[in-house]
Amino acid sequence: MGKLVFLSGAGLSAPSGLSTFRDNDGLWEQYDLDIVCNYQTWIKNFNLVHEFYNKRRLELRKVTPNKMHEKIAEISKRFEVINFTQNVDDLLERAGCENVIHLHGKLLELHCTNCNDITKLNLNDDLEFKFENCKKCQSKLIKPSVVFFGEQAPFYTDLYSTFYNLNEDDLVVIIGTSGAVININYLLRFAKSKNILINLEKNKYINEALFSHIIYKSCDECIDELEQIIQEWNS
Ligand SMILES: [Zn+2]
């Protein structure tokens, strides 16, 4: 029995109502991405950066996990699963997933860039950063634990080594990602695994030839299809 590897992106949380910077909706339209997601300039734009992430955190209260979050959680209880996501929301965890690897960080965490102390925020508590100094070292430089453009993503090493070491009996599910940020073709270039692609629509970044199954649908509308593929793989 092989392992099951998920790699998800914004398309997983979209049916829950969480928008991304590609959707150009309200919140993302009000802020310049070059300012609020920029590792080179975030200290200069400190107040604006935190204002943006405070608002994004409040959006988490308005959304709930969708059927695919729940399906991934259910699958995780039946198989050996490695669960990579590019999403910074907590919807996989709320659906019941444990050990999710957040490649681009977590919206519900802040960290001190001086002493690395981490503050975990809770949905039910106050979700806003109050511009207080670090409790441990008194540094002012508290940063949202979201990976900014130009910042190193610490878990990419795990991602690359997992994909490099895939075997013939492993199953990979790529779900709701355009492949524009993480190069899916590169990740799968040597993979001997069976690979599934679930995306809303075809896009120019992902090479369809790398996949044995391709489903172009909203990810909350193909739960049964995914289950069937998993059962075939498991039989
Ligand atoms: Zn500190």
Side-chain angles (χ1 to χ4, degrees):
M1 190 73 233
K3 61 183 173 299
L4 226 158
V5 179
F6 284 99
L7 172 58
S8 58
L12 173 60
S13 293
S16 291
L18 269 187
S19 56
T20 74
F21 65 91
R22 284 173 222 285
D23 297 334
N24 290 319
D25 94 319
L27 188 51
W28 293 92
E29 241 172 26
Q30 292 162 31
Y31 292 86
D32 184 346
L33 212 61
D34 280 341
I35 290 175
V36 296
C37 295
N38 188 332
Y39 191 61
Q40 314 306 330
T41 60
W42 78 275
I43 294 173
K44 194 172 83 185
N45 299 305
F46 192 80
N47 289 3
L48 200 61
V49 166
H50 279 291
E51 187 186 293
F52 175 70
Y53 288 94
N54 279 346
K55 286 186 184 172
R56 281 190 71 189
R57 263 181 234 112
L58 291 170
E59 286 194 326
L60 290 180
R61 278 204 189 123
K62 299 181 202 157
V63 297
T64 50
N66 63 54
K67 283 181 189 165
M68 186 54 93
H69 291 112
E70 286 162 4
K71 185 66 187 171
I72 295 172
E74 186 256 322
I75 291 167
S76 304
K77 292 178 176 68
R78 289 154 56 200
F79 300 99
E80 182 196 343
V81 163
I82 304 178
N83 197 352
F84 292 106
T85 187
Q86 298 166 76
N87 298 342
V88 297
D89 63 61
D90 65 334
L91 292 174
L92 280 167
E93 282 86 354
R94 273 196 258 164
C97 291
E98 290 168 15
N99 305 318
V100 182
I101 303 166
H102 285 269
L103 297 163
H104 295 156
K106 296 179 182 177
L107 209 43
L108 289 179
E109 278 184 14
L110 296 161
H111 74 271
C112 171
T113 57
N114 184 49
C115 75
N116 289 322
D117 186 52
I118 289 180
T119 306
K120 289 185 193 295
L121 301 165
N122 186 303
L123 263 195
N124 304 314
D125 293 343
D126 206 343
L127 285 173
E128 292 177 87
F129 173 58
K130 294 288 198 301
F131 297 90
E132 288 161 352
N133 292 359
C134 174
K135 287 188 183 74
K136 287 216 171 128
C137 75
Q138 305 308 317
S139 168
K140 282 187 184 2
L141 298 180
I142 309 290
K143 182 181 171 293
S145 291
V146 168
V147 178
F148 287 179
F149 295 128
E151 182 176 10
Q152 204 177 352
F155 292 113
Y156 274 24
T157 322
D158 300 271
L159 178 72
Y160 289 123
S161 73
T162 297
F163 275 78
Y164 191 76
N165 292 304
L166 287 167
N167 295 316
E168 279 164 20
D169 53 357
D170 295 333
L171 180 69
V172 173
V173 186
I174 305 288
I175 178 162
T177 178
S178 67
V181 176
I182 290 180
N183 188 328
I184 305 297
N185 300 341
Y186 182 80
L187 273 183
L188 289 174
R189 71 201 187 286
F190 301 129
K192 300 182 198 83
S193 52
K194 181 171 181 166
N195 308 319
I196 308 171
L197 176 66
I198 301 174
N199 256 342
L200 193 55
E201 56 195 10
K202 186 181 169 76
N203 78 68
K204 62 182 177 183
Y205 298 107
I206 298 181
N207 178 5
E208 293 181 332
L210 294 164
F211 297 88
S212 58
H213 294 80
I214 297 172
I215 303 171
Y216 290 133
K217 272 185 190 172
S218 176
C219 69
D220 59 338
E221 288 169 4
C222 56
I223 307 300
D224 295 342
E225 283 162 83
L226 176 60
E227 177 60 33
Q228 200 176 344
I229 296 165
I230 289 173
Q231 282 186 19
E232 279 166 27
W233 165 72
N234 189 36
S235 61

